[in-house]
Amino acid sequence: QVQVVESGGGLVQAGGSLRLSCTASGLSFDESAMGWFRQAPGKEREAVSCVSKSGLPTYYTDSVKGRFTISRDNTKNTLFLQMDSLRPEDTAMYYCAASAHPACGGSWYLPTRYVSWGQGTQVTVSS
C-alpha cells in the first residue's frame, strides 16, 4: 500500500522560512521523480517543483525560483521543499506527489504525470 505523508507546514510571517518534508512508502521512491504542488482556496492546483529520481535536474514554477529549493534523500525515502523569503501569496495547501516516471520531463507541471499523492500540509504566510 502506497503512503505519501507531508509535514512541516505552519504559520509564518512574510519573509520567513519553512521546510516541508514528505515521506513515501510502498513505492520505488528512488525510481520516481517527485513533485510538490499547491492549492489555494478557490484556485486550481498548481505545480511548484519537481526533482528527478537521482536529485537532478530540478524544475520550479517561475514564482518560486530563487526562493524555494527541492531536494531528496533516497536513503530515507524523503522529499524536501525548503521555502525561503515566503510571501502571503505562497499561502496554500502543499501536496507531495510521486510521478509515474523517473524523470520530471518537460511536462513535469501536469498533475496527470503523478500517481500517488499525499493529503497535504497547510502553509500560511501572514503579511
Side-chain angles (χ1 to χ4, degrees):
Q1 183 179 357
V2 176
Q3 282 193 318
V4 178
V5 180
E6 305 93 338
S7 62
L11 174 63
V12 64
Q13 288 189 329
S17 297
L18 282 174
R19 189 190 197 203
L20 305 185
S21 298
C22 167
T23 57
S25 59
L27 55 86
S28 298
F29 184 85
D30 59 352
E31 290 297 327
S32 302
M34 296 293 296
W36 287 100
F37 286 73
R38 65 186 180 186
Q39 188 167 20
K43 294 189 176 182
E44 292 188 356
R45 190 167 294 193
E46 172 193 28
V48 175
S49 184
C50 182
V51 58
S52 295
K53 69 173 187 175
S54 63
L56 288 173
T58 58
Y59 299 79
Y60 299 92
T61 192
D62 285 347
S63 62
V64 308
K65 284 179 181 176
R67 301 188 298 121
F68 290 10
T69 304
I70 192 171
S71 62
R72 63 191 295 162
D73 183 345
N74 287 347
T75 67
K76 297 181 179 179
N77 283 16
T78 303
L79 177 73
F80 303 100
L81 186 68
Q82 177 66 41
M83 305 187 296
D84 298 317
S85 302
L86 282 161
R87 305 168 180 169
E89 54 263 39
D90 295 317
T91 295
M93 185 72 78
Y94 282 70
Y95 298 91
C96 170
S99 174
H101 310 277
C104 296
S107 299
W108 68 272
Y109 52 88
L110 294 176
T112 52
R113 286 183 65 87
Y114 301 82
V115 294
S116 299
W117 295 79
Q119 295 299 305
T121 186
Q122 178 67 39
V123 171
T124 302
V125 184
S126 63
S127 56

